[in-house]
Structure formats: structure tokens, C-alpha cells
Amino acid sequence: MEAPRLRLRLPFLLLVALVVSPPANGWPPVAAAARRMRIEPLPTAALRRLYDTSNYGKLQLNNGLALTPQMGWNSWNFFACNINEAVIRDTADALVSTGLADLGYNYVNIDDCWSNVKRGKGDQLLPDPKTFPSGIKALADYVHGKGLKLGIYSDAGIFTCQVRPGSLYHEKDDAAIFASWGVDYLKYDNCYNLGIKPKDRGQDDPALWAGKVGNSWRTTDDIQDTWKSMTDIADKNNKWASYAGPGGWNDPDMLEVGNGGMTFAEYRAHFSIWSLMKAPLLIGCDVRNMTKETMEILSNKEVIQVNQDPLGVQGRRILGQGKNGCQEVWAGPLSGNRLAVALWNRCAESANITVKLPSVGLDGSSPYSVRDLWKHETLSENVVGTFGAQVDVHDCKMYIFTPAVTVASS
């Protein structure tokens, strides 16, 4: 039986420029522009009220990274501690060969259990000689050769959650060695923290503080491959929507799509809501052996484009209907005066979910073109006032509403 994963709540991710101070010759143009970037003002009072971004940017790192949520793969959800350098290399190969890399999944992230159980000479971190005999630098070079980026894992305590060496009291040395290996991304956990008070560590509610040290931060406990875990986590992450934006993202944990614990409809809902919430899209299944259905979900370009939209406003739960409010409407603004809308049926039976357009911030008297992102077709060029659809049990339908182009009569 695997040892329990002892995360002591709310780790955060540092998507990493290990040195964030400006270089001697100033920031390059892209990074300089990113440092000035903030969410564009939403065009109407209704949108500003529903999709509040008032807390975004208060403590933003502004290091030029993560202008959209990070995408990639992480080893933990499927492999846990059963990882080795061959798995990482093969996964990098699979991301490329399946076309997922071309869709933006470009981080290959090694989670816990990569390191030796003890530090080496001079207290230096060492890779496990049995599972990573070639070393992390060689692995980074391989991943970079595929046009991808390598991520690694450490911990803010004396041990990682699986009792490998943590970085507490070794922060600068560990950061330096990660940089020397060519690591692009650091996931930083929070186990075995010696009971240091949260106010000294910033453990509680990272959305309130982590933006000045990292580019994304966990807002929830670890996800499990179950409907209950996924839905509970979505609700918890929704609370922090006003803190997210270009350069800093709320992270409700990695994707479980394809791991077998949920139905196709539930995984489709999982991917839809994570995309709408501007969550990092980190695949958690074995991409070397995916089913056609898993690939269909993970490769949906139109849903990915919602996640990667440059406006960077986190979508959120707008209303619930029916018994216990289980017929839900989630929505979020996109660039170009568009709106993404998800009709999510969390009920135990199919349901017709209807939304009045003003309730999601749209003009109820103006026409909208409606695009179905799972059917990949435009349903109507002239929706006015109200829109609805039949949604199967635990499924989610996702649309983009675009102001219709009207042509003046001659």
C-alpha cells in the first residue's frame, strides 16, 4: 500500500525564472511588455460586476512568464512514485508524436520521488541513482531537444511528501542547482514544515500572497480521480477567481482526464470547467497509452483556446437551477467582447438548462452568434434574450457567445 501523500494543505507552484531581478541590459521587449500587462477593463458594468478582477495584480510577480495558464504533463496522478528517466523521455516523445505538444502542452513535469533519499556531499540534492542514473541535466537536454520544457519538484519542508530531501534551509543552493540543470519549472510543496506558524510561512490561502513569488498557486487540496473530488475542488477554486490573471493563476490541481475513475461525460465536464477557470492544464494520465476518448477531450482546440485566451479573466459559477442548484451555469469573458458559457449538469438525471443572457452579463436585446465547442459547430447566428440546451447526467456543454454582425439595409 502506498504511503499517504502528506501535503499539509495548499502548496503553490513556482513557474520558474530562478532569477527574477532585471538583467543588466534591462528586460527583453516581451518581458518588459509583460511587466506592464494588466487585465483589460471589461466593457460593461454587468461584466465587471459578475467577473470581478479587483484582486488581480496586487502582488503580481511580473517576470514575463505565464501570460496564459501553463500547459503540460505531470507524473504524479498516474505514476506517483513509480517514475524513472525512461518514463519521462517516453512521455516527452508521446507529447510530440500525438500532437499534444503542438496544442501547447509543453511542460514535462517530474513530481515527487525523483531525488535520492539523502543529500550528497556538501548537502547537494542528487537524483536517485537507480531511477535517474543519467542525471537531471541529461534529461533536461533531451526534453529541450524535443522543443519542450522540464519541470521538477521540491518542498518547503525538511522532507518532501514522500520523505525525500526537502528544500527548507537549502533554498538558494537548491534553486541554483535546478538552474544549472536547465530546469524550467519548479513545483514547490509544503510537507514536513516543522510546524512553523502559517503566518511566517504564508501557508494559508496562497491566492492572498503567492503572486509575488510564483506564477501559479494551489487553492485546494489534492485532486482525486472521482466525481466528488473534482466537483468539490471546482467549487473551492471558484472562490478565488478575482485573484487570477496574466502572470498568476489559481491552480485547482492537475487533470485526471483519462485515469479511469470518471465517465467520459464527467471528464469532459472536468476539462471544460478547468479551461473556463483558467486553471493550468497539466495532463495527469499516461499519454503513451491514451484512449481515443481521452485524446478527444485533451486535444479540443476550441476549449483550449478558452483557457489560453489573452484576456485572462477566470470564469466562474454564475447561477444554479433545479434541485439543490445542480443545474449550473458557469461563464467567463474572452477577448473580442466574447463570452464563454458552460452549462454543467451536476444532477443525477438529464436536465434542460436555460440561461437568460443578462444573467451572464450579456445584452438581452442584442443578437449573438453561439458556437458549440464540443460539437465544433455554430448553432445560431441570432440568439436573443434566452438560450438553453438539454445536458446529460454529469455532462457539460460549452459555448462561445459573440455579438452578431448586423448588416444595415440599403
Side-chain angles (χ1 to χ4, degrees):
M1 181 176 179
E2 182 186 333
R5 188 155 168 82
L6 299 173
R7 279 186 179 150
L8 302 183
R9 286 188 56 83
L10 302 183
F12 66 97
L13 306 184
L14 185 60
L15 200 178
V16 89
L18 290 171
V19 178
V20 297
S21 56
N25 58 349
W27 291 99
V30 172
R35 288 174 62 79
R36 297 190 297 270
M37 186 173 181
R38 288 291 181 267
I39 293 176
E40 298 173 17
L42 298 175
T44 68
L47 290 175
R48 290 191 293 272
R49 174 177 56 83
L50 288 171
Y51 309 106
D52 172 31
T53 60
S54 60
N55 292 303
Y56 167 69
K58 286 185 175 179
L59 297 171
Q60 222 64 27
L61 185 59
N62 292 321
N63 60 355
L65 299 175
L67 300 185
T68 59
Q70 62 266 37
M71 296 176 62
W73 173 88
N74 181 283
S75 62
W76 182 258
N77 284 357
F78 184 84
F79 291 98
C81 271
N82 298 314
I83 54 171
N84 56 58
E85 61 185 44
V87 165
I88 305 305
R89 286 196 303 266
D90 291 349
T91 297
D93 294 345
L95 288 173
V96 173
S97 65
T98 58
L100 289 171
D102 290 336
L103 294 174
Y105 295 100
N106 59 6
Y107 283 103
V108 182
N109 292 347
I110 310 168
D111 211 281
D112 205 348
C113 302
W114 64 268
S115 67
N116 197 22
V117 294
K118 293 183 179 180
R119 289 178 176 268
K121 185 177 180 180
D123 279 341
Q124 180 173 307
L125 277 177
L126 298 172
D128 188 315
K130 294 181 180 179
T131 52
F132 291 87
S134 302
I136 303 302
K137 176 65 167 64
L139 195 54
D141 290 344
Y142 184 88
V143 169
H144 293 158
K146 295 285 179 178
L148 304 172
K149 299 176 182 179
L150 186 74
I152 209 163
Y153 170 98
S154 190
D155 189 281
I158 56 170
F159 300 114
T160 70
C161 297
Q162 297 299 315
V163 202
R164 305 294 174 104
S167 290
L168 185 62
Y169 307 129
H170 297 277
E171 291 86 354
K172 289 184 179 180
D173 289 341
D174 290 358
I177 199 166
F178 294 149
S180 74
W181 290 341
V183 169
D184 304 289
Y185 183 122
L186 175 63
K187 176 179 177 178
Y188 207 49
D189 218 328
N190 196 27
C191 290
Y192 297 103
N193 59 29
L194 300 184
I196 299 173
K197 293 181 180 180
K199 69 178 181 180
D200 298 325
R201 302 180 55 81
Q203 177 180 333
D204 291 343
D205 299 332
L208 300 175
W209 58 267
K212 68 178 180 179
V213 292
N215 294 96
S216 65
W217 44 84
R218 281 282 295 281
T219 54
T220 70
D221 294 326
D222 290 1
I223 194 170
Q224 305 297 320
D225 187 17
T226 67
W227 169 254
K228 184 179 187 307
S229 173
M230 185 269 288
T231 54
D232 287 350
I233 279 177
D235 293 338
K236 291 174 182 177
N237 190 61
N238 184 58
K239 171 183 176 180
W240 303 104
S242 67
Y243 290 84
W249 308 101
N250 295 315
D251 177 19
D253 208 4
M254 300 166 290
L255 294 168
E256 291 283 6
V257 176
N259 281 331
M262 290 183 262
T263 66
F264 176 82
E266 290 167 347
Y267 280 140
R268 177 160 57 186
H270 178 19
F271 192 72
S272 298
I273 297 301
W274 260 237
S275 295
L276 183 67
M277 292 194 299
K278 302 298 188 291
L281 297 182
L282 296 173
I283 298 170
C285 69
D286 184 358
V287 296
R288 307 170 304 172
N289 298 289
M290 290 183 295
T291 65
K292 179 181 177 181
E293 290 76 16
T294 296
M295 184 64 182
E296 177 185 340
I297 292 172
L298 295 175
S299 64
N300 188 321
K301 293 181 182 180
E302 295 191 75
V303 176
I304 290 171
Q305 285 169 359
V306 170
N307 180 261
Q308 296 290 297
D309 185 78
L311 184 63
V313 176
Q314 179 174 323
R316 60 206 76 189
R317 183 183 185 274
I318 301 301
L319 56 93
Q321 306 165 350
K323 184 179 180 180
N324 300 320
C326 61
Q327 302 170 21
E328 296 189 349
V329 177
W330 292 60
L334 304 174
S335 58
N337 292 323
R338 299 170 301 148
L339 188 76
V341 176
L343 306 182
W344 190 12
N345 181 13
R346 291 166 63 164
C347 310
E349 60 280 324
S350 62
N352 185 59
I353 302 178
T354 302
V355 56
K356 295 180 180 179
L357 300 193
S359 69
V360 291
L362 298 177
D363 183 346
S365 61
S366 298
Y368 290 87
S369 171
V370 179
R371 174 81 176 174
D372 187 317
L373 304 189
W374 286 106
K375 289 185 176 180
H376 304 295
E377 63 183 35
T378 299
L379 302 182
S380 174
E381 298 284 357
N382 193 35
V383 169
V384 179
T386 302
F387 178 82
Q390 189 76 15
V391 186
D392 291 339
V393 175
H394 291 185
D395 208 346
C396 183
K397 294 192 173 182
M398 197 167 184
Y399 309 94
I400 288 181
F401 284 71
T402 304
V405 177
T406 57
V407 180
S409 59
S410 56

